[in-house]
Amino acid sequence: DTAVSQTPKYLVTQMGNDKSIKCEQNLGHDTMYWYKQDSKKFLKIMFSYNNKELIINETVPNRFSPKSPDKAHLNLHINSLELGDSAVYFCASSQDPGTPGANVLTFGAGSRLTVL
Amino acid sequence: AQKITQTQPGMFVQEKEAVTLDCTYDTSDPSYGLFWYKQPSSGEMIFLIYQGSYDQQNATEGRYSLNFQKARKSANLVISASQLGDSAMYFCAMRGQNSGYSTLTFGKGTMLLVSP
């Protein structure tokens, strides 16, 4: 059973299109994240949700809109895709702060987005 | 703000030898956590080891140990008895305090190549 699963794993699309990446975790975690890894392998936090509520938004363009229908899912929708959006997007989850497992983020396998 | 510095873009080691991957950090938080993640060529992010800033002893997990020197603000990863499967990108990360929830700030990574 995959703990944090993302779909699709690969996504190739044209500039200007709208696309979504889905993420689901079966760990019972309350907090979920989206990270972006650029072409130089640098990982940066984009969003964090706790129990369906947005708690962190790290100056990401409005074209990126996360949606959390329930605490096990955090989807990422991107409007009007640009060349610079090409990257690997990682979903992750962790337990609530103050719990023993809160320190560790469990990552999905990543979704490679290529914008042409 | 937190900052993680990994000064070694790449490291080479022979199988069965030990290797140290460097990591220094900067933070004004009195309490923080330090992490190492491994990213093999397949792309997934694998948690290796965690060190809390108030932990009295250095963390160890199997062949991985974290050489934590708080006064020097360093958290080097030591891999003993390297194996071919250890070839991967290694990221040092720090847990930031943002609205009371955990986010990870990553370094730029070190590519480790293990040769036979």
Side-chain angles (χ1 to χ4, degrees), chain A:
Chain A
D1 258 356
T2 305
V4 181
S5 59
Q6 302 177 223
T7 54
K9 188 167 174 64
Y10 299 97
L11 187 53
V12 181
T13 189
Q14 300 280 346
M15 261 195 323
N17 285 349
D18 304 338
K19 290 294 178 186
S20 293
I21 306 172
K22 296 185 176 181
C23 179
E24 175 182 4
Q25 54 95 3
N26 62 6
L27 297 167
H29 290 168
D30 291 292
T31 307
M32 295 185 73
Y33 312 79
W34 277 108
Y35 277 81
K36 179 180 179 180
Q37 185 174 41
D38 63 22
S39 59
K40 295 183 178 179
K41 299 287 191 179
F42 185 61
L43 278 147
K44 190 173 180 184
I45 181 73
M46 298 174 69
F47 300 102
S48 178
Y49 270 70
N50 179 264
N51 211 2
K52 302 191 296 177
E53 289 191 18
L54 178 67
I55 53 172
I56 294 168
N57 181 342
E58 288 288 325
T59 60
V60 178
N62 291 337
R63 299 182 296 102
F64 290 79
S65 53
K67 284 187 172 54
S68 182
D70 55 62
K71 74 173 193 177
H73 295 83
L74 180 61
N75 304 323
L76 183 65
H77 189 75
I78 315 170
N79 290 327
S80 303
L81 278 157
E82 301 176 357
L83 293 177
D85 298 332
S86 295
V88 180
Y89 292 85
F90 283 95
C91 179
S93 70
S94 68
Q95 293 181 4
D96 256 353
T99 58
N103 294 319
V104 178
L105 269 63
T106 302
F107 284 83
S111 297
R112 181 177 293 277
L113 171 65
T114 303
V115 182
L116 304 174

Side-chain angles (χ1 to χ4, degrees), chain B residues 57-69:
Chain B
Q57 293 188 334
N58 286 346
T60 59
E61 288 285 349
R63 294 185 299 110
Y64 304 109
S65 60
L66 200 151
N67 184 359
F68 180 46
Q69 297 188 42

Side-chain angles (χ1 to χ4, degrees), chain B residues 8-80:
Chain B
Q8 305 155 314
M11 288 285 285
F12 293 89
V13 67
Q14 272 202 314
E15 209 176 359
K16 299 179 186 175
E17 290 184 349
V19 62
T20 298
L21 305 184
D22 294 341
C23 173
T24 58
Y25 61 91
D26 194 20
T27 182
S28 55
D29 288 338
S31 175
Y32 49 89
L34 295 153
F35 304 75
W36 279 91
Y37 279 82
K38 171 184 178 181
Q39 187 177 38
S41 58
S42 50
E44 68 270 32
M45 294 289 290
I46 302 167
F47 166 72
L48 294 178
I49 197 166
Y50 164 78
Q51 177 84 44
S53 59
Y54 287 109
D55 292 344
Q56 294 297 316
Q57 293 188 334
N58 286 346
T60 59
E61 288 285 349
R63 294 185 299 110
Y64 304 109
S65 60
L66 200 151
N67 184 359
F68 180 46
Q69 297 188 42
K70 195 170 183 178
R72 293 186 177 184
K73 293 191 175 181
S74 74
N76 299 339
L77 177 71
V78 181
I79 306 175
S80 63

